[in-house]
Amino acid sequence: MEIKKVFNNNVVLTQNREGQEMVVMGRGLAFQKKAGETIEADNIEKTFVLDNRGVSDKIGELLREVPEEYLTIADRIITMAKARLGAGLDDYAYVALMDHISFAVTRHKQGMVLRNALIWEIKKYYKEEFSIGLQGLDVIEEETGIRMEEDEAASIALHLVNSRVSGEGLDAAVQIVKVVNDTLNIVKYHYKIEIDESSINYERFLTHLRFFALRLVQQEKADTPPGDDFMFTQVQRRYTAAFSCSEKVASYVEKTFNWTVSNDEKVYLTLHIHRVTSRQKLNSRG
C-alpha cells in the first residue's frame, strides 16, 4: 500500500483499490518513511475511508496538534451515529469532532466547564442525536479517563445535526434549533395550550419543522406555479385557526430571517399545526 502523505509516525494518507482516500493508523507505521514508499497492511490498526478528498488534509493538520486518540474518538461516535441515524454524515464531522472534543477535554483539565445554552432544546428536539452524544461521553471516558458533563453531549449532538445540514456551518445547526423552538412557542401561545410531546403527531410536526428550518437556513425557494393554489385556498378556508397560526409563523420568519414562506410551506405548516392542536384540544376536553 503506497503512502500519499505522512501525517506523523503513526498516521498516513493512502488510498484503496477503488481510489478512495484512506487515513490509516498504526504504531510506528510511518517511522522513517516518506510519500511514495509502501506500508505493510499487517501494521495497520485502524482505517478511515473518506469520500471528501479535502478532508484528509484537514485531519492531517489537526494531527500535528492533537493526539491520534481524538480521531479514534470521533470515528467511534460517527460510526454510532451512522448506524442509528440512518443518514449520511459529512466527512468533515471527523475534523469538527476531533477539534471540538480535544479542546473540550483540555478545558475540562483546566477546570473550565462551559455550559451549553441550547442543552434543553437539543434534548427536546434532537433526542436521538443527544442520546448518541451521551454515548459519546462514554467513549471519551474510555479513551481519555475523563468524564464530561451533559452539556458536552449536547455539543456533540449539535455537531451531528450540523453534519447532516450538508456543511452549512455550526451556526446553521444552532439557527435550526432556534427556528423550531420559536415556531413551537408561537403555536402554543396562539392556541394557549401545552402540546403533548409524547404524541405521534408532535413527532411528525417536529420532523416537518426541522426540514422547514433547514430550507430556511439554506434559503431554498419553493415557488408555487401560477394557478396552482387550489390546496392553499382549501386549507385557508377549512382550517382557519391553524392557517392564522401559520401566518404568524410566516411573519416571524420573514421579519427575523428575511425569508418568504411560500404558499406550499404554509399549506404543510397549517396541516401539521391543525393535526397536532386538534388532537390536543380533544384530549383536554376529555
Side-chain angles (χ1 to χ4, degrees):
M1 191 174 287
E2 184 177 312
I3 298 173
K4 293 183 65 178
K5 190 176 292 186
V6 175
F7 293 140
N8 60 39
N9 284 341
N10 305 317
V11 189
V12 304
L13 177 68
T14 182
Q15 66 181 35
N16 59 21
R17 292 177 180 176
E18 287 74 39
Q20 291 174 296
E21 285 193 344
M22 298 193 302
V23 174
V24 297
M25 293 172 57
R27 188 174 297 278
L29 186 72
F31 181 66
Q32 293 185 336
K33 288 185 179 291
K34 57 187 178 181
E37 296 187 39
T38 59
I39 50 175
E40 299 298 324
D42 291 344
N43 295 331
I44 297 174
E45 297 171 7
K46 293 175 184 173
T47 301
F48 309 92
V49 180
L50 305 172
D51 294 321
N52 188 327
R53 288 181 175 269
V55 170
S56 57
D57 287 334
K58 290 183 172 63
I59 290 176
E61 288 174 23
L62 262 182
L63 287 172
R64 294 187 180 96
E65 306 172 8
V66 173
E68 296 110 46
E69 65 185 343
Y70 291 105
L71 178 54
T72 300
I73 290 170
D75 179 61
R76 289 181 62 184
I77 294 172
I78 289 168
T79 299
M80 285 190 301
K82 286 180 177 178
R84 289 181 56 180
L85 298 176
L89 296 177
D90 191 276
D91 282 340
Y92 192 76
Y94 286 105
V95 178
L97 282 176
M98 280 176 65
D99 191 32
H100 173 81
I101 293 171
S102 66
F103 186 50
V105 170
T106 299
R107 286 198 320 264
H108 191 278
K109 288 177 178 177
Q110 296 170 347
M112 297 170 57
V113 178
L114 296 183
R115 298 301 174 189
N116 191 317
L118 292 173
I119 186 170
W120 184 83
E121 286 88 352
I122 294 165
K123 277 184 177 182
K124 188 174 181 181
Y125 306 138
Y126 293 97
K127 294 177 183 177
E128 196 69 14
E129 287 88 349
F130 182 73
S131 174
I132 295 166
L134 290 175
Q135 286 187 276
L137 300 188
D138 296 335
V139 172
I140 294 170
E141 187 173 20
E142 288 171 18
E143 297 287 344
T144 69
I146 292 173
R147 185 68 190 182
M148 308 290 287
E149 296 75 15
E150 274 198 354
D151 296 77
E152 188 55 36
S155 295
I156 291 171
L158 258 184
H159 278 288
L160 296 177
V161 172
N162 177 58
S163 182
R164 299 172 78 184
V165 178
S166 305
E168 294 294 326
L170 194 57
D171 286 346
V174 172
Q175 201 171 62
I176 287 171
V177 172
K178 174 177 171 55
V179 172
V180 170
N181 190 50
D182 290 350
T183 301
L184 284 169
N185 281 332
I186 289 170
V187 174
K188 290 176 185 178
Y189 284 117
H190 181 81
Y191 283 90
K192 296 180 173 58
I193 59 171
E194 285 298 322
I195 300 173
D196 180 8
E197 296 172 8
S198 65
S199 71
I200 187 65
N201 285 332
Y202 174 78
E203 289 298 328
R204 287 170 179 154
F205 187 34
L206 202 54
T207 298
H208 175 76
L209 285 183
R210 288 176 188 146
F211 286 110
F212 171 72
L214 175 57
R215 289 191 293 276
L216 184 159
V217 166
Q218 294 178 331
Q219 293 289 296
E220 291 181 5
K221 299 298 180 184
D223 295 327
T224 305
D228 188 21
D229 59 357
F230 175 75
M231 182 64 75
F232 176 77
T233 303
Q234 289 296 103
V235 165
Q236 184 180 20
R237 290 174 178 171
R238 186 169 182 179
Y239 306 113
T240 54
F243 182 80
S244 174
C245 187
S246 75
E247 288 279 78
K248 287 183 179 179
V249 173
S251 177
Y252 151 76
V253 165
E254 289 167 14
K255 289 177 182 176
T256 309
F257 301 100
N258 194 31
W259 188 69
T260 302
V261 179
S262 69
N263 284 351
D264 279 350
E265 296 281 5
K266 289 179 183 178
V267 166
Y268 286 112
L269 269 174
T270 299
L271 292 174
H272 279 287
I273 290 170
H274 172 74
R275 177 185 283 176
V276 76
T277 56
S278 60
R279 179 64 58 87
Q280 188 73 27
K281 287 188 289 186
L282 283 172
N283 290 342
S284 63
R285 287 170 189 166

